[in-house]
Amino acid sequence: MELFLMQLFNGISVSSILLMAALGLAVTFGLMGVINMAHGEFLMVGAYTAYIVQKLFIAYLPAGVFDAYCIVAILLSFLVAAVLGFILERLVIRRLYGRAADSLLVTWGISLILQQAARSIFGSPNVGVKAPSFLEKSLRIHGMLSLPYKRIFILILAVFCLFGVYWLMYRTRQGRNIRAVMQNRDMAAALGVNTGRIDSATFAIGSGLAGLAGCALTWIGAIGPTLGTNYIVDTFMTVVVGGAGSLLGSVFGAGFIGIGGTAFEFFTTASIGKVLIFLCVILLLQFRPKGIFAVKNRALED
């Protein structure tokens, strides 16, 4: 039982990472209708940003302040991924609105370019990022049951991101404009909303959240150029199961994929567990093809 509870907690931490990655994808997918296959590479960008920050702290700052690198890494991972997302939206994505098949192929090509760029800069082998010393310990509950501080911190970071996105979407003028564009782009534009600016800002925020998820990933495993490829499918499944554009749906989808997949793997094997979670997703979408918490669209043509 203790081993199962530890595995379940690991599943919750995986769900936390999926939630951070899916929060941005859920909004941008629901807002723009763009299938962004390069979204996983923003996780890679955030992870390598944390790696670079660590190297700079080791090379140029005293050892006593090393632990502070994690704060700088979190901020820069978000900013670097957000800026890259903003540039990508301005140069490429805005020409693909309403063209789902084209967006899939183009963003898949962009993901390959970013992966090759990472190989050219950092090399093909995986690299590691050392967690701050205060995250290296574990919270012992009983017997063998102990919860690593790393995964607890990731969970707290995911909750913070969730409430941040909720505040943005439902407590600010920017969020109201985003929801207006999601529900009826033409009407929002007719009422004076600058939809182009909304698209760019939203895509940048979504990319930044993926960068945060990548930063969090560095503390629980090695990172490499194909890091995003390992998570893009699960992230899309999270969005599809929960419902594009729904925060509550993102939470449900992340828990469904992360905890469900971990539980299946505990009772079977890693490969069979992945097959079982795919079967569950297929069955669920047979009854709710738009996801559990699908956002209603108010466009006139609907």
Side-chain angles (χ1 to χ4, degrees):
M1 179 57 69
E2 291 177 347
L3 185 60
F4 174 72
L5 291 176
M6 289 180 61
Q7 190 76 359
L8 192 63
F9 180 74
N10 290 340
I12 293 174
S13 67
V14 171
S15 298
S16 302
I17 293 171
L18 289 177
L19 176 61
M20 286 188 282
L23 280 173
L25 187 61
V27 176
T28 54
F29 185 39
L31 174 67
M32 306 169 185
V34 173
I35 303 175
N36 182 17
M37 295 300 294
H39 190 76
E41 273 51 59
F42 291 108
L43 276 81
M44 178 193 70
V45 168
Y48 275 117
T49 300
Y51 174 73
I52 293 173
V53 170
Q54 175 195 245
K55 288 294 186 182
L56 291 175
F57 265 70
I58 293 174
Y60 298 105
L61 292 175
V65 299
F66 173 77
D67 287 348
Y69 96 88
C70 72
I71 305 299
V72 179
I74 288 172
L75 295 175
L76 285 182
S77 294
F78 179 87
L79 289 176
V80 171
V83 170
L84 181 61
F86 181 85
I87 295 172
L88 181 62
E89 195 279 335
R90 285 284 183 176
L91 296 179
V92 180
I93 299 298
R94 63 173 41 202
R95 294 171 173 79
L96 301 173
Y97 296 151
R99 298 160 56 189
D102 292 343
S103 68
L104 188 152
L105 293 173
V106 171
T107 55
W108 181 57
I110 292 172
S111 73
L112 296 180
I113 293 172
L114 292 175
Q115 287 180 33
Q116 189 56 47
R119 289 191 184 94
S120 300
I121 297 172
F122 300 101
S124 297
N126 290 346
V127 296
V129 176
K130 181 177 174 59
S133 60
F134 60 86
L135 295 181
E136 291 289 357
K137 299 178 182 179
S138 298
L139 177 64
R140 185 166 298 279
I141 305 299
H142 180 268
M144 293 177 56
L145 181 58
S146 60
L147 309 180
Y149 285 151
K150 298 176 186 177
R151 295 183 181 270
I152 295 175
F153 183 77
I154 292 172
L155 178 60
I156 294 172
L157 186 62
V159 172
F160 178 80
C161 290
L162 177 63
F163 279 102
V165 173
Y166 174 83
W167 177 81
L168 171 68
M169 294 291 290
Y170 294 97
R171 293 292 184 268
T172 66
R173 180 182 180 86
Q174 176 81 3
R176 185 166 66 248
N177 290 341
I178 291 173
R179 289 185 287 120
V181 174
M182 287 177 65
Q183 294 181 6
N184 193 323
R185 177 179 291 271
D186 294 335
M187 182 60 72
L191 293 174
V193 177
N194 189 331
T195 57
R197 185 180 300 171
I198 291 294
D199 291 337
S200 298
T202 306
F203 199 87
I205 293 171
S207 302
L209 289 170
L212 271 181
C215 180
L217 275 171
T218 61
W219 297 323
I220 59 175
I223 60 173
T226 59
L227 174 70
T229 306
N230 299 330
Y231 284 88
I232 186 62
V233 174
D234 287 345
T235 304
F236 265 107
M237 284 200 302
T238 297
V239 174
V240 171
V241 167
S246 170
L247 297 184
L248 184 59
S250 296
V251 176
F252 174 84
F256 184 84
I257 301 300
I259 299 175
T262 303
F264 283 138
E265 290 178 10
F266 179 81
F267 291 109
T268 57
T269 62
S271 56
I272 295 177
K274 184 65 79 173
V275 171
L276 291 175
I277 198 66
F278 271 112
L279 288 176
C280 289
V281 171
I282 292 171
L283 289 174
L284 189 149
L285 293 179
Q286 294 300 311
F287 299 97
R288 299 298 296 267
K290 292 186 177 181
I292 298 297
F293 301 96
V295 175
K296 294 182 179 180
N297 190 299
R298 297 181 181 177
L300 295 176
E301 61 268 20
D302 290 344

